[in-house]
Amino acid sequence: MRIVSFFLVLVFYIPSVLGQALPPIQNFGISDYSAGSQNWSISQNSSKHIFVGNNKGLLEFNGARWKLHPSYNSSIVRSVKVIDDKVFTGFYMDFGYWERDSKGVFRFRSLVKDLELSLIEDEHFWNIEVRDEWILFQSLDRIYMYN
């Protein structure tokens, strides 16, 4: 009877314990990524690079190293959304996308300036969503649609 009990424990208990293993988790502190203390939004591209909206700009993590791309107007990057090869960001009084130039350097292109949009005073862009072929930039008071 003891052998049967031992066998039942092996068959039913051991696989359930092993099946609940957690994936490896790695924490990063401010000293690891050398930027601001607050992170606001996160997105990942098809190359598995992670992009984070930070108080100091756009953070990029390639799995080994962090790189900070300062926002051109020195404001907090509140929202991030990777779409294809572009990284769309929203922040204080502006939104647009980052794209690599021929040398591989990330450059920001302001859609607010390109489209000559007039924003309301103190507008921050907190969220970026994709719906069908539209990219939506959401502030507290408005939604701007870009195709």
Side-chain angles (χ1 to χ4, degrees):
M1 191 63 163
R2 246 182 195 190
I3 294 174
V4 172
S5 296
F6 179 73
F7 179 72
L8 289 174
V9 167
L10 281 177
V11 169
F12 293 108
Y13 181 70
I14 301 292
S16 68
V17 171
L18 294 176
Q20 295 186 21
L22 296 174
I25 296 173
Q26 185 173 359
N27 292 317
F28 295 98
I30 298 168
S31 60
D32 296 316
Y33 54 80
S34 302
S37 62
Q38 291 180 311
N39 298 304
W40 296 93
S41 183
I42 187 168
S43 191
Q44 187 175 25
N45 69 8
S46 59
S47 301
K48 306 295 184 205
H49 286 213
I50 295 172
F51 296 91
V52 180
N54 182 274
N55 281 8
K56 299 284 184 180
L58 179 67
L59 281 170
E60 179 182 7
F61 183 63
N62 66 5
R65 284 190 218 109
W66 289 94
K67 181 169 185 172
L68 176 65
H69 306 282
S71 59
Y72 81 99
N73 67 0
S74 301
S75 70
I76 298 168
V77 176
R78 303 272 189 199
S79 53
V80 178
K81 185 73 156 186
V82 175
I83 303 168
D84 298 326
D85 60 342
K86 294 180 176 134
V87 180
F88 288 85
T89 56
F91 36 95
Y92 175 74
M93 297 300 288
D94 208 345
F95 60 84
Y97 61 88
W98 300 76
E99 194 172 38
R100 295 199 191 279
D101 64 14
S102 60
K103 296 179 182 178
V105 177
F106 251 173
R107 302 275 183 216
F108 180 76
R109 183 167 184 170
S110 170
L111 292 175
V112 171
K113 287 184 180 178
D114 287 355
L115 302 172
E116 298 177 359
L117 300 174
S118 68
L119 305 178
I120 59 176
E121 186 178 337
D122 249 2
E123 198 161 17
H124 290 261
F125 292 90
W126 292 91
N127 193 24
I128 302 169
E129 292 289 331
V130 178
R131 296 289 181 253
D132 299 322
E133 295 180 18
W134 294 93
I135 301 171
L136 287 70
F137 297 89
Q138 178 186 3
S139 72
L140 291 178
D141 298 311
R142 295 180 176 176
I143 295 176
Y144 296 83
M145 298 171 65
Y146 175 71
N147 184 327

